[in-house]
Amino acid sequence: MSDTSWEVEIEKIKGDIKLINQSLDTIKNNHLFHIEKSIASINKVLWTVGLMVFGQLAIVLRDFIF
C-alpha cells in the first residue's frame, strides 16, 4: 500500500473512533438518566407495596393477639 492509502485508512479509523465516542457520550448522558429515573420509580412502588404488606401484617397480628 502507498502512503496515501495508509493515511486514508488512518482517517477512517479516526472518524470511527469519534463516532464511538459520540455514541458513548449519548449513552452516558442521556440513556443512563432515563434508566436511573425508571429505577427510582420502581423503588417507590416497591416501598409502597412493602409498607402496605407490613400494614396488613400488623392488622393480622393485632387481630390474632386480641
Side-chain angles (χ1 to χ4, degrees):
M1 289 187 166
S2 66
D3 288 339
T4 52
S5 64
W6 281 107
E7 290 174 6
V8 170
E9 289 297 319
I10 290 171
E11 290 301 318
K12 283 183 183 179
I13 292 171
K14 285 182 181 179
D16 290 342
I17 290 172
K18 286 180 183 178
L19 287 174
I20 290 170
N21 283 335
Q22 182 182 8
S23 296
L24 287 174
D25 187 54
T26 300
I27 290 170
K28 178 181 167 186
N29 293 328
N30 189 20
H31 298 310
L32 288 179
F33 171 76
H34 293 292
I35 291 170
E36 288 174 352
K37 189 176 174 184
S38 296
I39 289 173
S41 66
I42 291 170
N43 279 338
K44 288 177 186 175
V45 170
L46 287 176
W47 275 104
T48 303
V49 170
L51 288 174
M52 291 171 67
V53 168
F54 180 74
Q56 290 296 318
L57 179 64
I59 291 171
V60 168
L61 288 176
R62 182 195 65 189
D63 292 343
F64 183 70
I65 291 174
F66 297 114

